[in-house]
Amino acid sequence: MSNIEIKNLEKVRQAVNVCTMCGFCKSVCPSFKAIRWDPSAARGRVILSYGLLNGDIPADKSVIDNIYTCTTCMDCVRRCPSKVDVVDIIEMCRADLVRNGHMLPKHKTAVDNILENGNPYGEKETMAQRLKAVPKKAKVGYFPGCSAAFRTPETANAALSILKKLNVDSTVVDCKCCGSVMQRVGWDNDNVVKIMKDNVNAIKEQGVETLILSCAGCYRMFKEEYPKHTEVPFRVLHLSEFLAERDLKLKPLKAKATYHDPCHLGRHANVYDAPRKVIRMIPELEFKEMANIRDTARCCGGGGGVRSAYPEESKRMAEARIEEAAFADIIITACPFCVNNLRFGMGDRTIRVADLAELVNELL
């Protein structure tokens, strides 16, 4: 294969050179733990990115595989003593690869589905239609996200049920995919920004003043990425933050539970306390933390496009996280994508994996 034409990586030449190759990232990188090969750790990916930048290496299959098995969990960024923005480098590298025609088939299918149908799964219905909800004007809007609407509808339906039980005048917003999938895999940013603006306009037209999301990836997009490209004239809350503000009257649950921090909710958006506050509202629940929590929490292995393109590697990452929770009856998390991937890696274990929304709805 010939060398690729570089556009985005020129922006990070200095950042790439800051990496001292110390290898601290290897101790936390979930894909390195699953693949056990140096190019699959942040340090290795920085070297590969630098090689592409200088034209020293071609964009062959081995390079592409190692760039795309990154879940963008950002634990390497936390651990890096040189403060290299590894995730930014990875995503810029992916954008250059895609621009040069090096896009994984699974990712191309997902993006094509978003552009044609408004979701990565190719479903012909909108999120609202799948959930049998009719969008209306309301001050509180709920954005279910593609994963919850089309793959784990129990999460979306639980969130809607909670809002109804709390007598909140709310609506499902009439939106398409948030754009996270496209941005993570390196698709053209102009397309992503157009989706952002279309979604914001649709939400504004419904009179929404507070937007509630149950997907960590969608939340990160609206909270962190959307404001970089368009005005967001409404409050953005993860469902756990919305519930943490309320005095919930929950039924008791006799079980031993732990909590898995989604990467996009935790390290990316710094939401750690709200889910735990809600969990502690459950009477008689024995709550115990895993060894690695909050900013040091291990990734479930499902993000960054890894689950769709590299399912076996993704599964091994999920299995490693589940091992940390072997003491629990229930693993609670706050992202339908984490729910899906942790269940994927559960094997013959009998631990229940539940979204916080499901558990609260059952006990409210």
Side-chain angles (χ1 to χ4, degrees), residues 259 261 272-280 289 293-294:
Y259 176 70
D261 288 280
Y272 298 110
D273 295 332
R276 289 172 169 83
K277 182 178 178 181
V278 176
I279 291 169
R280 291 192 175 94
E289 296 276 19
I293 62 168
R294 301 176 75 91

Side-chain angles (χ1 to χ4, degrees), residues 10-37:
E10 289 294 346
K11 301 175 184 177
V12 294
R13 183 184 290 274
Q14 182 178 357
V16 172
N17 286 329
V18 167
C19 176
T20 62
M21 307 300 160
C22 66
F24 284 3
C25 54
K26 293 170 68 174
S27 67
V28 298
C29 179
S31 55
F32 174 75
K33 292 176 183 294
I35 300 169
R36 308 302 296 177
W37 191 242

Side-chain angles (χ1 to χ4, degrees), residues 70 177 271 316:
C70 172
C177 174
V271 177
R316 286 198 290 273

Side-chain angles (χ1 to χ4, degrees), residues 55 65 97 132 140 171 212 214 295 310 320 338 345:
D65 286 346
L97 287 169
K132 295 179 171 57
V140 175
T171 179
I212 298 172
S214 52
D295 65 333
Y310 302 95
C338 291

Side-chain angles (χ1 to χ4, degrees), residues 133-144 160 163 168-174 206-208 210-212:
V134 179
K136 63 176 185 177
K137 287 188 177 292
K139 290 186 177 181
V140 175
Y142 172 61
F143 186 97
L160 291 171
L163 293 172
V168 176
D169 181 25
S170 61
T171 179
V172 172
V173 293
D174 190 19
Q206 290 181 248
V208 171
T210 299
L211 183 69
I212 298 172

Side-chain angles (χ1 to χ4, degrees), residues 151-177:
R151 291 297 179 266
T152 56
E154 59 270 25
T155 298
N157 287 323
L160 291 171
S161 177
I162 290 169
L163 293 172
K164 185 176 180 180
K165 289 178 180 179
L166 294 175
N167 296 314
V168 176
D169 181 25
S170 61
T171 179
V172 172
V173 293
D174 190 19
C175 293
K176 297 179 180 179
C177 174

